[in-house]
Amino acid sequence: MKDIKEVETGILDELKNTSIDASKCMQCGVCSASCPSGRHTTLNIRKLVRIAGKTTDILSSEELWMCTTCYNCQERCPRNINIVDILLDIRAISVHQGFIHPEHRAVCEMLLEYGHAVPINEKNRKKRVNLGLEELPETVHKYVDGLEEVKSLLASCGFGKLIEHTESGVTEDKT
Ligand code: SF4
Ligand code: SF4
């Protein structure tokens, strides 16, 4: 796991630029009260908005990944703050800095190898048929010639290199 102290300088500026909108927050708590994930996890979106742009600790925060991006909070915020968009930008910075959950990394590796986040196997084929679906989904599983195109698309945008650069975990929550 990457030590947050190793995070290159300038990231705080990047976070600040990403989170300018968050400075309009009046900490009313409407976002947290509207958050379905917050009822079942430690996610406190009001707190994340408060610290957005202020500390690099947010980059290794577990909470950053507990949001399901349902947009409830953003739709209800009385200050019209782009809460979820800010969160997604911070997630992107976080991954570029090498922080990623092992589970997310595994999904990315599946995508890189199979062009699909969920590889097909005998069990999944049977399940699909039992559900009345075609044995193979309308993806590279069915159109296998498309796999090389998907791989070259992922390579062209640097996705493989990005995932290689990440560690297999995030640090404990420091926010
Ligand atoms: S609803 Fe908007 S203004 Fe209120 S705490 Fe959340 S982000 Fe801040
Ligand atoms: S978008 Fe995320 S933070 Fe906002 S209400 Fe939904 S789960 Fe909560």
Side-chain angles (χ1 to χ4, degrees):
M1 282 179 278
K2 195 164 183 169
D3 186 332
I4 192 74
K5 291 190 179 62
E6 290 172 14
V7 171
E8 61 190 69
T9 52
I11 294 305
L12 199 52
D13 285 343
E14 201 178 333
L15 282 171
K16 272 182 195 150
N17 290 338
T18 297
S19 312
I20 286 171
D21 205 29
S23 61
K24 293 189 295 183
C25 175
M26 59 181 175
Q27 289 289 295
C28 66
V30 168
C31 51
S32 296
S34 316
C35 177
S37 298
R39 280 176 220 137
H40 304 285
T41 69
T42 55
L43 171 60
N44 180 338
I45 189 62
R46 180 187 58 78
K47 184 187 75 178
L48 283 190
V49 173
R50 177 166 52 77
I51 64 168
K54 296 188 182 118
T55 169
T56 52
D57 284 355
I58 198 169
L59 294 175
S60 58
S61 168
E62 287 276 352
E63 287 185 61
L64 208 51
W65 302 96
M66 290 174 184
C67 165
T68 61
T69 65
C70 71
Y71 278 84
N72 263 3
C73 54
Q74 189 161 316
E75 283 179 355
R76 292 178 189 175
C77 173
R79 288 278 165 95
N80 293 319
I81 297 170
N82 295 327
I83 302 170
V84 190
D85 302 329
I86 291 170
L87 202 69
L88 292 176
D89 285 345
I90 295 174
R91 280 182 179 178
I93 296 171
S94 172
V95 173
H96 275 93
Q97 288 306 313
F99 298 103
I100 193 168
H101 267 281
E103 295 83 0
H104 296 164
R105 194 173 204 273
V107 168
C108 295
E109 285 170 348
M110 292 280 190
L111 194 60
L112 283 165
E113 189 165 352
Y114 303 106
H116 211 291
V118 184
I120 201 77
N121 55 26
E122 213 39 54
K123 196 172 151 198
N124 285 344
R125 282 173 193 255
K126 277 187 190 148
K127 265 192 200 166
R128 289 183 58 85
V129 172
N130 288 342
L131 288 166
L133 299 168
E134 277 189 54
E135 191 178 338
L136 293 172
E138 296 280 318
T139 64
V140 291
H141 287 331
K142 186 168 176 182
Y143 306 104
V144 286
D145 290 347
L147 181 56
E148 284 315 308
E149 287 178 40
V150 171
K151 285 186 174 184
S152 95
L153 190 65
L154 291 171
S156 71
C157 66
F159 187 72
K161 282 210 167 77
L162 172 66
I163 299 309
E164 253 176 52
H165 161 73
T166 59
E167 303 283 338
S168 293
V170 294
T171 57
E172 74 279 9
D173 201 350
K174 296 176 181 172
T175 55

